Amino acid sequence: MPALTDAGDRTAYLSAEGFLPDLLAELGGRPEIFGRLVLAEGPARPAAWAQNIWYAPVILPVASIGDAARQLKAIQRNWAAYAFHLHRRTSLIHEKLPPVAARPLAFGEAAPSAPLGSWCLLDEGRLLAAPRCSSPFPHGEARFVEDRSSAPSRAYLKLWEAFTVLGLKPEPGALCLDLGASPGGWSWVLQQLGARVISVDKAPLAPSVAALPGIEFRAASAFAIEPQSLPPVDWLFSDVICYPERLWRLVSAWMESGRAGNILCTLKFQGATDHDSAARFAAVPGSRLFHLAHNKHELTWVWKAIPRQP
């Protein structure tokens, strides 16, 4: 266990489950590691592989389980506990704190607005606590009431989560282009929002999606569609399976064309993570690169829809 006496000017980053090495590569330096929580020097900075960022954490000396709970409650009401060890002691402290409702959201509900802090025990006599975090969800993990009957695949959950996290989605009547659409999970979400959808893939859509009004299917490769061949679109979406370099060429063409108002796509990594390509996407002005709880070995990239986040 690393010995800590003062959190100082540091920030804690909770890695996405299974992707601690990627977060460490992204942050660099010589941080201290507690399970999948990384305590790094300096103020918060963009970290795509962090599921949640703990801002300005403090170390609290605690004399007992009750004392730990009292100190946390004196700061604020809502807390999420992260346990990388001392699980029983963490649970006993958690039970003395006010309950935090973490029910699954129905899609369309806003993300929680109440402040939610995070804490963990460093050892039996000290805890690390951050009253403010980057995500309103415990550990940055949004959960939803799933649709197990209408959606053709579970990929729809990525789009539900992205729209909820961003607080932004296509308006009814918006024209959306879904590249690599088959079997149609994202097109289904967009159609349910009232958008008009052009779905492009060499493979067909699920029949239940293809039959929906407002969806136009084009049997073609996502990479064969030239921006000038379509009317300007309000949103371009891509969950296509390809190397990040190829995706970069695709979205670059659309950005340069000026024919896409917003772009939301998935960077999928096959084998080792391509950190150079991820950094290239993250560096685009007006964009944000982040890991959704429903992402696997992939990142979500949004351009122009929201300003860059710290």
Side-chain angles (χ1 to χ4, degrees):
M1 169 67 64
L4 288 177
T5 56
D6 185 5
D9 183 21
R10 290 190 273 188
T11 304
Y13 303 82
L14 185 68
S15 80
E17 189 74 48
F19 298 107
L20 176 61
D22 292 298
L23 176 61
L24 293 173
E26 185 178 23
L27 292 174
R30 298 172 62 101
E32 298 183 84
I33 303 170
F34 305 91
R36 58 187 176 102
L37 187 69
V38 178
L39 189 61
E41 296 290 341
R45 57 188 186 272
W49 292 101
Q51 201 68 52
N52 197 16
I53 300 176
W54 300 16
Y55 300 120
V58 296
I59 296 174
L60 302 177
V62 294
S64 65
I65 291 169
D67 180 48
R70 282 191 295 273
Q71 291 197 57
L72 289 170
K73 287 190 287 187
I75 297 172
Q76 67 183 33
R77 182 191 187 279
N78 295 337
W79 292 96
Y82 167 64
F84 66 95
H85 71 161
L86 298 174
H87 298 278
R88 177 59 177 163
R89 194 172 184 85
T90 298
S91 179
L92 291 172
I93 296 171
H94 173 73
E95 290 171 3
K96 290 182 175 295
L97 296 172
V100 175
R103 62 175 179 80
L105 295 178
F107 178 57
E109 285 187 81
S113 58
L116 178 64
S118 294
W119 66 275
C120 72
L121 282 171
L122 300 176
D123 52 45
E124 290 191 358
R126 297 175 305 158
L127 63 79
L128 185 72
R132 190 169 66 93
C133 295
S134 63
S135 175
F137 301 102
H139 314 314
E141 298 167 357
R143 297 185 302 124
F144 296 92
V145 178
E146 298 187 21
D147 188 321
R148 301 181 184 275
S149 59
S150 302
S153 72
R154 289 179 56 81
Y156 76 95
L157 289 166
K158 290 189 282 190
L159 212 50
W160 276 14
E161 183 181 354
F163 290 153
T164 302
V165 169
L166 297 171
L168 186 69
K169 58 183 181 293
E171 298 292 334
L175 181 59
C176 297
L177 177 62
D178 184 11
L179 299 176
S182 180
W186 284 22
S187 291
W188 174 78
V189 171
L190 300 170
Q191 192 273 346
Q192 295 293 303
L193 291 173
R196 298 172 292 140
V197 188
I198 300 173
S199 304
V200 177
D201 206 308
K202 290 188 288 185
L205 297 177
S208 60
V209 176
L212 293 172
I215 291 182
E216 174 191 339
F217 177 69
R218 299 195 181 192
S221 167
F223 302 97
I225 301 295
E226 296 291 337
Q228 292 74 19
S229 70
L230 294 174
V233 298
D234 298 298
W235 286 81
L236 183 152
F237 295 92
S238 172
D239 197 32
V240 69
I241 299 174
C242 68
Y243 286 106
E245 290 182 2
R246 195 176 190 196
L247 181 65
W248 173 256
R249 292 194 293 271
L250 185 151
V251 299
S252 293
W254 280 92
M255 288 190 293
E256 292 167 5
S257 75
R259 299 177 73 81
N262 305 282
I263 299 176
L264 191 155
C265 61
T266 307
L267 281 69
K268 297 175 181 284
F269 303 103
Q270 302 171 56
T273 301
D274 184 349
H275 291 288
D276 290 339
S277 288
R280 176 185 293 175
F281 277 89
V284 175
S287 75
R288 179 181 173 186
L289 183 68
F290 55 109
H291 188 276
L292 297 168
H294 292 94
N295 281 144
K296 297 177 182 177
H297 189 199
E298 56 194 17
L299 295 170
T300 295
W301 182 73
V302 184
W303 172 74
K304 198 175 177 179
I306 59 172
R308 177 178 294 275
Q309 296 295 306

